[in-house]
Amino acid sequence: MKLLHTADWHIGRTLNGYSLLDEQKYAFKQILQIAKDEHVDGIVVAGDIYDRAIPSTEAITTLNEMFKILNIDNHFPIYAISGNHDGAKRLNYGRDWMEFNNFYINTLLEESFKPIETNDTQLFLLPFFDPMDARVYYQKKGLDEASVKDIRTIGDAMSLVLDDMYKLFDPAKKHVLVTHFAVSPSAKDIDLTSETTSKVGGLETLNATQFDKFDHVMLGHIHTRFASPSENIRYSGSPIKFNVKEAKTTTNKGFYIVDTTKKSERTDLREITPGTDLIVLNETWETLVDPKFYSKQPVDQDWFAITIKDFDRTKHVSTNIRAQLQDIYGTVVELDYKNIENKNTEAESQDINQLNDESVVDQFFESITGNELSKEQKSIVDDIFVELRSE
Amino acid sequence: MKLLHTADWHIGRTLNGYSLLDEQKYAFKQILQIAKDEHVDGIVVAGDIYDRAIPSTEAITTLNEMFKILNIDNHFPIYAISGNHDGAKRLNYGRDWMEFNNFYINTLLEESFKPIETNDTQLFLLPFFDPMDARVYYQKKGLDEASVKDIRTIGDAMSLVLDDMYKLFDPAKKHVLVTHFAVSPSAKDIDLTSETTSKVGGLETLNATQFDKFDHVMLGHIHTRFASPSENIRYSGSPIKFNVKEAKTTTNKGFYIVDTTKKSERTDLREITPGTDLIVLNETWETLVDPKFYSKQPVDQDWFAITIKDFDRTKHVSTNIRAQLQDIYGTVVELDYKNIENKNTEAESQDINQLNDESVVDQFFESITGNELSKEQKSIVDDIFVELRSE
């Protein structure tokens, strides 16, 4: 079968307060058009469909419309999972009715052990989960207590999950796994430019060798396809650029069209043309306000992230820097300057929403006491969360 | 056809912080059982399905399960609308897939002009809306500007809506309207014990005579069936008691089973037995702590709302009143006392969530300036909101 593999739509995301919804709709239209042109048999959306667990009304309406166009209007089966940004239980609403029209969406670990069968392929839809979810699941399933407690890392959990999937393998078919994690051949090889490393306890990333038995692993989570750990274990990347770091790369975003009966190839890639591109400028003030320079910029349709280099703020105290640049460039979504003397450094901060409950307790303890939790204390914290989640 | 008419489930509601979810599930089981026993052809849920626009994850999971049991497991068609408590656009998610299995849910005015057709009945599902929604809808539909501006009250809006529905009437069939408003033969006849009066601009309630052309009007909004304006225009009431005022009534909650080809009758009522009843006590301290009194109370399973009458707090300064009563009565969801001298009176306050945007502006203006908005000012405010909503 022919599958379109996309991921990390993050519907509802903003960039410094600017809505990306129009850009997301523009990318969606291209995905739809190519799906139609190439007569794909289904669309894989590998998690982080929304940007937040409780999306805005506008984000919900937009996503519903996109799914409707793909699945109801154009009869494409959808194979979707939730990612770490999605609210798994919220996104679960209505899924049983969606199946009436070949729209499959899994958001809970327990839903992952029923592959979708086509004539030549078994599709396993494994949403993002954390080791705690696996503990709860395997505890309910009757795994002995010691083995449940041995689930410490996402790698531990994944071994159990994959073994259960292998039992369901039909040897006459190809096997596709759709999931949402950080996967790498080795941690240092990976270029995590656009998404924090997987925050699940213990090990940060999964190892690609774990997935050897699958013909294709279609991943979400990391926003660049260049982070793909191997030829058949791939990130499609997000359909649009989400931040200034990404904007600095000149390559287009995209998605894959994969024939599941064949090996993946570089030619599977389909590029997405940005509607509003994000242009990064790093120039002196004199250059930025020079018509010879800015007349060559696409100032009418694009967004700009501008860093003024070698800037002496004292010489411009009476200038409204932002207003003047907006007059020239239109939408300036980010503005920064580097002094001649003081070089600004970007502040590093951690988003608490990116951490699991366990890590929040760990880090809180450490910031208050100055000490890390001991192994015994960590174990107690783990057990408390398992108990809480079982309720 | 035979319809089960229920409304105002308010899934996720709490009573002074106590979750009503178990009680709601208990009532649901009875609705399901009677639907099966009486072989109904469909379940009407007339709005306020959730208690809040952004319900808790637990509320979403519970509602999804209830709908699944009714519609997927037991093959009952569902005819549902959103009420003023529901987030119309959020609850809209997935509705197009639900229709694949005869689960119809309308949450937007524009969806209301496509009746569901059965062999003997046309069902019109009209969700809660306000005059502004009607303005936006009729403006888009191309109604002339003057007529759009004439939509001031919910009565104005309803006249237009109903006229459009009448045009769709099949004279060979019965006509059922499912909607969610305060409707009364005349404002003073109505006993609004459990829900605030409709907060839509201008007129507070709709008049029953507006709905004369329908054979049956199945209403939600007011939580007691005793507020029903006529024999064929009825509130089913909520399936459970939501507050202490309601608990004081000794009658059970319930729902209706209606044969749409016949007139409504008193015998349509099916009662729901509470699982955990809410017992209201208004007694002296001495009586409350007297074993002769409390041994007759259902102290093991029920919830209590207790008012201690003729209470002299100074004689009990060292007593932990609440702890002592909880030892005796179990769950005390409300505790109040009336001094011998000072009679407590209940504070009246207005819930801002119960007001439409227009009224919030009105009241804010009044509380700041001491003056009401003039007719011209009101008109400007109206127009601004119409414009905002069109966007």
Side-chain angles (χ1 to χ4, degrees):
Chain A
M1 70 185 301
K2 208 194 237 184
L3 287 174
L4 189 155
H5 167 204
T6 174
D8 295 281
W9 288 7
H10 286 269
I11 302 297
R13 190 159 177 137
T14 56
L15 173 56
N16 296 337
Y18 291 84
S19 170
L20 293 168
L21 220 45
D22 283 342
E23 190 60 17
Q24 289 170 323
K25 288 176 186 173
Y26 189 82
F28 172 78
K29 275 185 196 161
Q30 297 177 61
I31 293 172
L32 172 68
Q33 191 55 52
I34 293 179
K36 287 199 237 179
D37 291 347
E38 305 206 17
H39 304 287
V40 300
D41 302 306
I43 317 274
V44 167
V45 189
D48 284 2
I49 300 174
Y50 287 126
D51 192 53
R52 294 179 356 210
I54 303 182
S56 69
T57 306
E58 204 183 9
I60 292 173
T61 304
T62 302
L63 181 67
N64 191 68
E65 185 64 17
M66 287 175 176
F67 280 157
K68 192 181 161 189
I69 290 170
L70 288 176
N71 181 249
I72 296 185
D73 300 348
N74 288 285
H75 312 289
F76 290 117
I78 297 176
Y79 307 103
I81 56 168
S82 50
N84 53 310
H85 276 252
D86 298 304
K89 286 182 179 172
R90 284 179 189 272
L91 194 54
N92 200 271
Y93 178 78
R95 74 183 278 278
D96 297 289
W97 287 270
M98 288 157 182
E99 281 198 23
F100 286 112
N101 205 43
N102 293 316
F103 175 3
Y104 301 90
I105 180 163
N106 285 354
T107 76
L108 306 173
L109 177 57
E110 69 225 48
E111 296 162 349
S112 314
F113 303 98
K114 203 182 136 197
I116 295 131
E117 308 273 349
T118 71
N119 63 329
D120 59 14
T121 304
Q122 285 184 305
L123 276 129
F124 290 82
L125 307 182
L126 178 62
F128 173 82
F129 65 94
D130 66 24
M132 293 298 171
D133 298 321
R135 281 191 178 196
V136 171
Y137 171 73
Y138 280 104
Q139 195 171 51
K140 273 191 197 159
K141 222 188 141 196
L143 190 68
D144 63 282
E145 206 178 317
S147 304
V148 168
K149 287 211 170 180
D150 277 348
I151 306 172
R152 296 273 171 207
T153 68
I154 190 61
D156 300 338
M158 191 60 80
S159 294
L160 290 169
V161 167
L162 293 178
D163 281 347
D164 282 348
M165 287 183 173
Y166 298 151
K167 290 174 197 155
L168 302 167
F169 270 28
D170 177 348
K173 291 184 181 178
K174 295 291 175 183
H175 306 104
V176 172
L177 177 67
V178 177
T179 195
H180 189 96
F181 287 99
V183 181
S184 66
S186 76
K188 67 176 169 41
D189 286 350
I190 208 159
D191 175 28
L192 299 168
T193 52
S194 56
E195 172 67 80
T196 57
T197 55
S198 178
K199 71 266 193 308
V200 283
L203 275 182
E204 287 189 323
T205 59
L206 290 162
N207 198 295
T209 54
Q210 278 203 293
F211 301 100
D212 273 354
K213 294 199 175 69
F214 282 96
D215 299 290
H216 298 272
V217 181
M218 301 186 177
L219 292 169
H221 191 53
I222 300 181
H223 295 172
T224 168
R225 61 179 179 273
F226 301 107
S228 300
S230 79
E231 200 60 23
N232 68 322
I233 304 177
R234 293 196 295 198
Y235 290 100
S236 64
S238 55
I240 69 165
K241 293 173 183 177
F242 287 129
N243 56 48
V244 174
K245 272 187 198 165
E246 282 194 281
K248 287 177 185 163
T249 66
T250 52
T251 52
N252 274 339
K253 290 289 189 172
F255 53 91
Y256 295 112
I257 307 274
V258 180
D259 183 338
T260 62
T261 63
K262 295 181 185 163
K263 289 209 163 197
S264 302
E265 291 184 32
R266 288 193 180 275
T267 54
D268 294 345
L269 180 70
R270 301 294 175 275
E271 289 194 15
I272 294 173
T273 312
T276 301
D277 212 350
L278 182 56
I279 312 284
V280 181
L281 300 178
N282 188 4
E283 303 290 344
T284 62
W285 176 252
E286 290 67 30
T287 304
L288 288 165
V289 298
D290 181 355
K292 277 185 214 152
F293 176 78
Y294 66 68
S295 63
K296 288 180 207 147
Q297 302 293 331
V299 297
D300 285 333
Q301 76 267 29
D302 289 337
W303 288 3
F304 288 84
I306 298 175
T307 302
I308 314 169
K309 69 177 180 186
D310 305 332
F311 194 55
D312 189 350
R313 193 74 179 88
T314 57
K315 291 188 184 157
H316 299 271
V317 279
S318 60
T319 316
N320 186 335
I321 304 290
R322 177 173 281 276
Q324 201 167 329
L325 290 175
Q326 278 177 335
D327 274 352
I328 297 171
Y329 291 93
T331 309
V332 178
V333 297
E334 200 166 301
L335 179 58
D336 204 0
Y337 59 88
K338 297 216 198 286
N339 284 338
I340 295 177
E341 291 135 44
N342 267 322
K343 285 203 175 174
N344 278 5
T345 53
E346 278 174 48
E348 295 279 343
S349 73
Q350 232 174 342
D351 181 358
I352 199 165
N353 296 317
Q354 295 284 343
L355 296 171
N356 65 6
D357 298 331
E358 202 192 3
S359 306
V360 172
V361 173
D362 278 15
Q363 299 198 2
F364 179 71
F365 184 84
E366 200 178 326
S367 72
I368 295 297
T369 68
N371 299 314
E372 278 185 41
L373 285 170
S374 71
K375 212 168 177 179
E376 288 70 30
Q377 287 169 325
K378 269 193 180 162
S379 165
I380 291 166
V381 170
D382 283 8
D383 293 342
I384 288 168
F385 279 115
V386 171
E387 213 173 300
L388 276 172
R389 286 176 189 220
S390 316
E391 274 169 15
Chain B
M1 72 185 299
K2 208 194 235 184
L3 287 175
L4 189 154
H5 166 205
T6 175
D8 296 281
W9 288 7
H10 287 268
I11 301 298
R13 190 160 177 136
T14 55
L15 173 54
N16 296 335
Y18 291 84
S19 169
L20 293 167
L21 219 45
D22 283 343
E23 190 61 14
Q24 289 170 323
K25 288 177 186 173
Y26 190 82
F28 172 78
K29 275 184 195 162
Q30 297 175 62
I31 293 172
L32 172 67
Q33 191 55 53
I34 292 177
K36 287 199 235 179
D37 291 347
E38 305 206 16
H39 304 286
V40 301
D41 302 308
I43 317 275
V44 166
V45 189
D48 284 1
I49 300 175
Y50 287 125
D51 192 52
R52 293 178 358 210
I54 303 182
S56 69
T57 306
E58 203 183 9
I60 292 173
T61 304
T62 301
L63 181 68
N64 190 68
E65 184 65 19
M66 287 174 174
F67 280 157
K68 191 181 162 189
I69 290 170
L70 287 176
N71 181 250
I72 296 185
D73 300 348
N74 287 285
H75 312 289
F76 290 117
I78 297 175
Y79 307 104
I81 55 168
S82 51
N84 53 311
H85 276 251
D86 298 304
K89 286 182 179 171
R90 282 177 190 274
L91 195 54
N92 200 272
Y93 177 78
R95 75 184 277 278
D96 297 288
W97 288 270
M98 289 158 182
E99 280 198 24
F100 286 112
N101 205 44
N102 293 314
F103 173 3
Y104 302 90
I105 181 162
N106 285 355
T107 76
L108 307 172
L109 177 57
E110 69 225 48
E111 296 162 348
S112 314
F113 303 97
K114 201 183 139 197
I116 295 130
E117 307 273 350
T118 71
N119 62 331
D120 59 15
T121 303
Q122 285 184 306
L123 276 129
F124 290 82
L125 307 182
L126 178 62
F128 174 83
F129 65 95
D130 66 26
M132 291 299 172
D133 299 322
R135 281 191 177 197
V136 171
Y137 171 74
Y138 281 104
Q139 196 171 49
K140 273 190 198 162
K141 223 188 139 196
L143 190 69
D144 64 283
E145 207 178 318
S147 304
V148 167
K149 286 209 172 184
D150 277 348
I151 306 173
R152 295 274 171 206
T153 68
I154 189 62
D156 300 339
M158 191 59 79
S159 294
L160 290 169
V161 167
L162 293 178
D163 281 347
D164 282 348
M165 287 183 173
Y166 298 150
K167 289 172 198 157
L168 302 167
F169 271 27
D170 176 349
K173 293 185 181 179
K174 295 293 176 182
H175 307 103
V176 172
L177 177 67
V178 177
T179 196
H180 188 97
F181 287 100
V183 181
S184 66
S186 77
K188 68 176 168 44
D189 286 351
I190 209 161
D191 175 28
L192 298 168
T193 52
S194 56
E195 175 65 81
T196 57
T197 56
S198 178
K199 70 268 193 308
V200 283
L203 275 183
E204 287 192 321
T205 60
L206 289 163
N207 198 294
T209 54
Q210 278 202 291
F211 301 100
D212 273 353
K213 293 199 174 70
F214 282 97
D215 299 290
H216 298 273
V217 181
M218 302 188 177
L219 292 169
H221 192 52
I222 300 180
H223 294 172
T224 168
R225 62 180 179 272
F226 301 107
S228 299
S230 79
E231 201 62 23
N232 68 323
I233 303 177
R234 293 195 296 197
Y235 291 100
S236 64
S238 55
I240 69 166
K241 293 173 181 177
F242 287 129
N243 56 46
V244 174
K245 270 187 198 164
E246 282 195 280
K248 285 177 184 163
T249 66
T250 52
T251 52
N252 276 337
K253 290 290 189 171
F255 54 91
Y256 295 112
I257 306 275
V258 180
D259 183 337
T260 60
T261 63
K262 295 181 185 162
K263 290 209 162 194
S264 302
E265 292 185 31
R266 288 193 179 275
T267 54
D268 295 344
L269 179 71
R270 303 293 176 275
E271 290 194 15
I272 293 173
T273 313
T276 301
D277 212 349
L278 182 54
I279 312 284
V280 181
L281 300 178
N282 188 3
E283 303 290 344
T284 63
W285 176 253
E286 290 67 31
T287 304
L288 287 166
V289 298
D290 181 355
K292 276 185 213 152
F293 175 78
Y294 68 68
S295 63
K296 288 180 206 148
Q297 300 295 330
V299 296
D300 286 334
Q301 76 269 27
D302 288 338
W303 288 2
F304 287 83
I306 299 175
T307 303
I308 313 169
K309 69 177 180 185
D310 305 332
F311 194 55
D312 188 349
R313 193 72 179 89
T314 57
K315 289 188 186 162
H316 298 272
V317 280
S318 60
T319 315
N320 185 335
I321 303 290
R322 177 172 279 277
Q324 201 167 334
L325 290 175
Q326 277 178 334
D327 275 351
I328 297 172
Y329 292 93
T331 309
V332 178
V333 297
E334 199 166 302
L335 180 57
D336 203 358
Y337 59 89
K338 298 219 195 281
N339 284 340
I340 295 177
E341 293 133 44
N342 268 321
K343 285 201 175 175
N344 280 3
T345 54
E346 279 173 47
E348 296 279 343
S349 74
Q350 232 174 341
D351 181 357
I352 198 165
N353 296 316
Q354 295 286 340
L355 296 172
N356 64 5
D357 299 330
E358 203 193 4
S359 306
V360 171
V361 174
D362 277 14
Q363 298 197 4
F364 179 71
F365 184 84
E366 199 179 327
S367 72
I368 295 297
T369 68
N371 299 314
E372 277 185 41
L373 285 169
S374 72
K375 215 168 174 177
E376 287 71 28
Q377 288 169 322
K378 269 192 182 167
S379 166
I380 292 166
V381 170
D382 284 6
D383 293 342
I384 289 169
F385 280 114
V386 169
E387 213 172 301
L388 276 172
R389 286 178 190 221
S390 314
E391 277 168 14

